[in-house]
């Protein structure tokens, strides 16, 4: 472990893709290399209904305005940003385990957004807000400097082919951007099952002056424990190396 954002009212799925000039969550932005694959899928009636009903309350869009986090969550509490939450099971579990923390979760996968919205209602979790957009744009446009107690990024796409390395999210410019959004003592917590990616991340983070290494047992605003994800389970069954990195 190494140590060192008013909700919108328009439901996701109504905006054009980046190929069409706008991110799914809405709002324009300067061009940048996209670190994620375009992810679409069938949005069943349960997930569609959850988004339609809950988005005015839990949804965050890209509208260019810096978030007032206290107003967004309706209280003053530490805010943790989770980048990439899949179908939301681990996110909901962490939110349930940390009711004292405000959790802002961002992903580009529409069915996953619907699944998480459904879980928030079923489990009665008032401390989660959901953004359906590119995490880079969310950080750049909507999250103020020195405002996050932590950032979580579990099993990001490692883009293993050399020609695709430029698409990796965890590179020096992004790490620097994340570090600027962390409060003093804030934590960047990352897990990956691809050792070469972990090694590249370690080099980038060592070079970032705003971050320093800490152990998992060091005092932190964010718990080091996390639920196992489906991807992690598959990696462990396949004898892959699970490498954890956390900074703040």
């Amino acid at each position: 472990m190494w140590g060192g954002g008013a909700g919108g009212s328009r439901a996701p799925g109504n905006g054009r893709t980046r190929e069409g000039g706008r991110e799914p969550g809405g709002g324009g932005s300067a061009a940048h290399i996209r670190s994620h694959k375009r992810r679409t899928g069938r949005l069943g009636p349960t997930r569609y209904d959850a988004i339609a009903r809950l988005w005015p309350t839990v949804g965050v869009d890209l509208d260019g305005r810096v978030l007032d986090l206290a107003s967004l969550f309706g209280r003053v509490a530490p805010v943790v940003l989770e980048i990439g939450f899949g179908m939301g099971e681990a996110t909901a579990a962490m939110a349930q385990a940390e009711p004292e923390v405000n959790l802002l979760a961002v992903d580009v996968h529409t069915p996953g957004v619907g699944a998480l919205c459904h879980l928030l209602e079923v489990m009665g979790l008032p401390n989660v807000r959901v953004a359906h957009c590119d995490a880079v744009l969310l950080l750049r446009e909507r999250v103020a400097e020195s405002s996050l107690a932590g950032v979580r990024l579990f099993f990001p796409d490692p883009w293993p082919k050399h020609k695709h390395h430029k698409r990796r999210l965890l590179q020096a410019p992004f790490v620097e951007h994340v570090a600027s959004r962390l409060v003093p003592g804030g934590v960047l917590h990352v897990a990956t099952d691809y050792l070469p990616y972990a090694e590249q991340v370690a080099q980038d983070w060592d070079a970032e002056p705003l971050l320093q290494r800490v152990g998992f047992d060091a005092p932190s605003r964010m718990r080091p424990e996390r639920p196992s994800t489906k991807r992690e389970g598959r990696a462990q069954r396949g004898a892959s190396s699970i490498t954890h990195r956390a900074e703040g």
Side-chain angles (χ1 to χ4, degrees):
M1 184 172 183
W2 300 354
S9 60
R10 185 172 57 79
N14 295 333
R16 298 189 298 276
T17 65
R18 279 190 59 79
E19 289 79 4
R22 196 170 65 188
E23 282 296 322
S29 68
H32 72 280
I33 295 175
R34 193 169 56 172
S35 63
H36 57 80
K37 300 173 184 176
R38 182 181 178 186
R39 301 189 66 195
T40 58
R42 183 175 179 274
L43 191 63
T46 299
R47 296 169 184 169
Y48 183 91
D49 179 67
I51 292 175
R53 290 186 296 100
L54 300 180
W55 199 253
T57 301
V58 305
V60 176
D61 294 320
L62 289 177
D63 61 9
R65 296 177 297 173
V66 175
L67 287 166
D68 179 339
L69 293 174
S71 176
L72 175 65
F73 287 94
R75 65 174 185 173
V76 176
V79 178
V80 171
L81 173 67
E82 181 178 5
I83 299 174
F85 52 78
M87 298 308 290
E89 296 97 334
T91 302
M94 288 185 288
Q96 188 175 55
E98 299 178 301
E100 73 281 4
V101 170
N102 292 335
L103 180 56
L104 176 57
V106 56
D107 205 305
V108 296
H109 185 41
T110 307
V113 171
L116 179 57
C117 287
H118 177 64
L119 284 172
L120 299 184
E121 184 172 50
V122 171
M123 297 173 66
L125 300 174
N127 58 327
V128 181
R129 298 295 181 266
V130 185
H132 181 226
C133 61
D134 188 319
V136 174
L137 300 182
L138 181 71
L139 275 170
R140 186 167 68 196
E141 297 182 10
R142 304 227 59 191
V143 179
E145 293 186 359
S146 302
S147 63
L148 299 176
V151 175
R152 293 175 176 140
L153 211 172
F154 299 151
F155 301 96
D157 194 325
W159 294 99
K161 293 183 180 180
H162 186 269
K163 66 180 181 180
H164 292 151
H165 285 185
K166 64 184 179 181
R167 295 190 177 276
R168 288 177 173 174
L169 180 59
L170 285 164
Q171 300 190 67
F174 180 74
V175 171
E176 180 182 6
H177 204 84
V178 170
S180 73
R181 266 55 182 172
L182 292 173
V183 299
V187 173
L188 171 56
H189 184 183
V190 172
T192 178
D193 57 358
Y194 191 63
L195 186 57
Y197 194 11
E199 292 172 341
Q200 174 240 298
V201 167
Q203 293 175 359
D204 290 340
W205 293 2
D206 276 341
E208 174 49 55
L210 293 179
L211 299 173
Q212 60 182 346
R213 300 191 189 202
V214 297
F216 273 96
D217 57 349
S220 171
R221 296 170 179 264
M222 188 172 66
R223 298 182 185 181
E225 302 88 0
R226 59 175 178 78
S228 177
T229 65
K230 289 183 178 179
R231 174 165 179 167
E232 181 177 10
R234 290 195 296 268
Q236 289 172 330
R237 289 193 295 272
S240 298
S241 173
I242 304 298
T243 304
H244 299 272
R245 295 286 188 265
E247 301 197 15

